[in-house]
Amino acid sequence: MEAMDGNLQENLLNPRAESDVDLKEEIIQESKKIWRVALPSIISRVTSFGSLVVTQSFIGHINSTDLAGYALVQTLTVRFVNGIVIGMSSATETLCGQAYGAKQHHMMGVFLQRSWLVDLATLTLLLPVFVSAAPIFRAVGEEPAIAASAGYISLWFIPFLYSIVFAATIQMFLQAQQRNAVVAWLSAAQLAVHVPVSWVLVSVMGFGVGGAMCALCVSAWVVVAGEFVYVFGGWCEESWRGFTMAAFHDILPVVKLSISSGIMVCLELWYYAILVLLAGYMKNARVAISAFSICLNVGAWEFMICLGMMGAAIVRVANELGRGDAAATRFAIKVVMATSVAIGAVFWILCLIFGRKLGYLFTGDEEVALAVADLSLLLAFSILLNGIYPVLSGVAVGAGLQGRVAIINLVCFYAIGLPIGAVLGYVIHLQAKGIWIGMMSGIVTQTVALSYMIWKINWDQEVLIASARLRRWYLKSGEENQQQICDHS
């Protein structure tokens, strides 16, 4: 009794004690939900992107011309097309996440099939970009040898990109229902296959660039095959009811949301691609392109972790909006943002310490390695920013606000970042460093704008919007139709 009185007295003297305990428990529970989505997504993205980096490393040790050609294709052409495909696929994250939160599980499979139709048609229309890569690069003024190498490498990326259509959309489908652990295992298997196959084809059999690209395509389809087995094999029986003609219903509204999603992501990915293109007009184009792309790829590899947190933000926001809980949505945003910033700070410190040695991992060319070292400080601060703005974009995607983000990206990147980069790089003669400062200027302004947008959002209103969207696109499941028949009889 005395102990109880003591506890009561303590709570009266410290009224925050119990609420602090409750808050800690809520943070722990929310963190578990976030990491259940984020960790597999991070593993998947890091290992998948790791395959691109491993390929770059193998090609970089063949010769510097092919390294520059690969950098052009991977950073320009692949980002251009991949941005459209991945961007349009982000509509799947919004719709599946909100459908799962509203317990409309059967609609998730319908949304997945609709995304396949839209993405496959879009990618097929974009194939001429890859087929005509060499003349395109020559037309924009790239060196003939680099353009020829880029044209050859570009053809190898076609089967790789078709694998991305299925791999990305199925991952989003599984992620929305917190079943994406299998994707992490499959992605780890992809990297485990990719490294030895690349070594055999390039180093042992001497197939050169073609061997490196063949290994990339083979390992990419390993993931897709595993995802097909998991989804079609009965492990998603509530959300996958088989192929259906319902996928062709309401396809235009999905296309509209997909286009706004695609524009949002494309404006961001193309921004980096254009910066690499600008680097190609520097005094020593080979060194500038190679160094710039190496730094971008190192930053992008860490960015894959941030995209995992972005995926968690999308799922948590979409799920809670689908459930109709505005307060839980706001709380999830705070927790995922704090987590992502902490991760970004850790990698920022690591890059400050080891950044000047990064270039030697990708090339034996002393000029390129020194150019990478010169950019390492800017790379470190870019990595710090990576911990913030992807999560803000994820919050917007989870709420279906891709259109607003597209406008912000257009202004911040193309009206602010690119002009500053061009002036500093060419007029002030800071070369690649000036372009990178311009890039960071765009990212900083984008981060500020997104922060303000998220702060001003009325989440109670967003709950109503999400509910209206799900009602408008809802199709009855077979069980519900059967129940109605029974009720009428």
Side-chain angles (χ1 to χ4, degrees):
M1 182 65 114
E2 290 180 1
M4 291 178 61
D5 291 341
N7 289 334
L8 178 59
Q9 184 178 8
E10 182 181 351
N11 286 333
L12 289 173
L13 293 173
N14 184 14
R16 290 178 55 85
E18 187 174 347
S19 63
D20 285 347
V21 172
D22 291 343
L23 178 60
K24 289 177 182 177
E25 182 61 29
E26 287 178 9
I27 291 174
I28 291 171
Q29 292 305 316
E30 180 61 36
S31 295
K32 288 180 179 178
K33 294 176 183 177
I34 288 170
W35 281 106
R36 193 176 300 138
V37 175
L39 184 58
S41 180
I42 289 170
I43 294 171
S44 167
R45 292 177 186 277
V46 168
T47 53
S48 296
F49 190 77
S51 297
L52 289 171
V53 176
V54 167
T55 302
Q56 183 184 38
S57 183
F58 272 98
I59 291 176
H61 287 90
I62 295 172
N63 64 69
S64 58
T65 299
D66 286 324
L67 175 61
Y70 179 87
L72 276 179
V73 177
Q74 194 249 320
T75 315
L76 287 174
T77 318
V78 174
R79 278 181 185 267
F80 171 77
V81 175
N82 206 27
I84 296 174
V85 174
I86 297 296
M88 296 184 75
S89 299
S90 73
T92 309
E93 290 184 284
T94 302
L95 297 173
C96 285
Q98 292 182 1
Y100 185 77
K103 300 188 184 302
Q104 298 177 5
H105 297 158
H106 69 284
M107 285 300 299
M108 298 177 70
V110 177
F111 290 140
L112 176 63
Q113 292 172 63
R114 286 174 182 169
S115 71
W116 287 344
L117 293 172
V118 173
D119 290 356
L120 286 172
T122 302
L123 178 56
T124 302
L125 291 174
L126 292 170
L127 286 185
V129 175
F130 287 85
V131 176
S132 307
I136 289 174
F137 284 126
R138 282 196 297 269
V140 296
E142 296 297 338
E143 294 180 6
I146 295 176
S149 175
Y152 174 70
I153 291 171
S154 184
L155 296 175
W156 278 102
F157 267 112
I158 293 175
F160 172 80
L161 283 169
Y162 272 103
S163 75
I164 293 295
V165 169
F166 296 104
T169 50
I170 294 176
Q171 179 177 342
M172 294 169 184
F173 166 77
L174 295 173
Q175 186 171 274
Q177 50 194 311
Q178 299 182 9
R179 289 178 174 267
N180 59 329
V182 64
V183 179
W185 287 107
L186 289 171
S187 298
Q190 174 190 8
L191 190 59
V193 168
H194 182 62
V195 174
V197 171
S198 296
W199 178 75
V200 169
L201 293 179
V202 177
S203 302
V204 177
M205 303 184 71
F207 289 153
V209 173
M213 295 304 300
C214 180
L216 180 66
C217 296
V218 169
S219 63
W221 279 95
V222 166
V223 175
V224 178
E227 288 178 340
F228 281 158
V229 170
Y230 186 82
V231 174
F232 301 157
W235 284 276
C236 300
E237 57 182 350
E238 288 190 344
S239 53
W240 179 263
R241 306 290 179 86
F243 291 98
T244 172
M245 293 299 293
F248 292 92
H249 297 170
D250 293 319
I251 196 74
L252 289 180
V254 175
V255 170
K256 182 179 178 180
L257 181 59
S258 297
I259 289 173
S260 64
S261 301
I263 293 173
M264 181 197 83
V265 175
C266 287
L267 287 174
E268 187 167 329
L269 292 181
W270 293 351
Y271 176 57
Y272 299 104
I274 292 172
L275 291 170
V276 173
L277 187 62
L278 287 177
Y281 298 107
M282 294 295 173
K283 286 187 299 185
N284 191 338
R286 179 186 61 81
V287 172
I289 293 173
S290 299
F292 205 85
S293 67
I294 285 172
C295 286
L296 278 181
N297 278 344
V298 170
W301 208 348
E302 182 271 340
F303 190 62
M304 296 302 107
I305 298 175
C306 301
L307 287 180
M309 301 308 298
M310 175 182 173
I314 293 170
V315 171
R316 293 298 301 128
V317 169
N319 284 173
E320 296 303 341
L321 289 178
R323 291 189 183 98
D325 194 335
T329 302
R330 286 189 288 267
F331 185 73
I333 293 170
K334 294 175 183 177
V335 176
V336 72
M337 177 59 71
T339 305
S340 184
V341 169
I343 293 171
V346 171
F347 281 96
W348 171 62
I349 294 170
L350 290 174
C351 193
L352 286 175
I353 296 172
F354 301 108
R356 301 191 68 83
K357 302 295 183 183
L358 281 174
Y360 295 101
L361 294 175
F362 299 93
T363 180
D365 190 314
E366 189 71 18
E367 271 191 288
V368 175
L370 289 174
V372 171
D374 193 44
L375 291 171
S376 62
L377 182 61
L378 292 174
L379 172 63
F381 283 95
S382 296
I383 285 174
L384 183 62
L385 288 171
N386 284 351
I388 303 173
Y389 73 89
V391 173
L392 296 173
S393 296
V395 171
V397 172
L401 302 174
Q402 289 93 325
R404 296 188 196 177
V405 181
I407 295 172
I408 290 173
N409 287 352
L410 178 64
V411 173
C412 294
F413 292 155
Y414 296 88
I416 297 174
L418 277 180
I420 291 176
V423 169
L424 292 177
Y426 291 99
V427 179
I428 310 299
H429 302 296
L430 291 179
Q431 300 295 308
K433 188 179 291 186
I435 295 176
W436 198 290
I437 293 172
M439 176 186 75
M440 289 185 63
S441 301
I443 293 173
V444 169
T445 53
Q446 182 218 31
T447 301
V448 172
L450 286 175
S451 299
Y452 180 76
M453 184 192 82
I454 300 300
W455 177 57
K456 295 292 289 183
I457 286 176
N458 183 335
W459 290 107
D460 295 296
Q461 182 66 28
E462 292 303 322
V463 165
L464 298 178
I465 293 172
S467 176
R469 180 189 294 120
L470 290 172
R471 285 198 306 270
R472 186 168 65 251
W473 290 353
Y474 182 76
L475 296 172
K476 292 179 180 178
S477 65
E479 289 84 351
E480 288 175 312
N481 287 328
Q482 186 65 36
Q483 183 63 45
Q484 280 194 346
I485 293 172
C486 294
D487 291 341
H488 286 306
S489 60

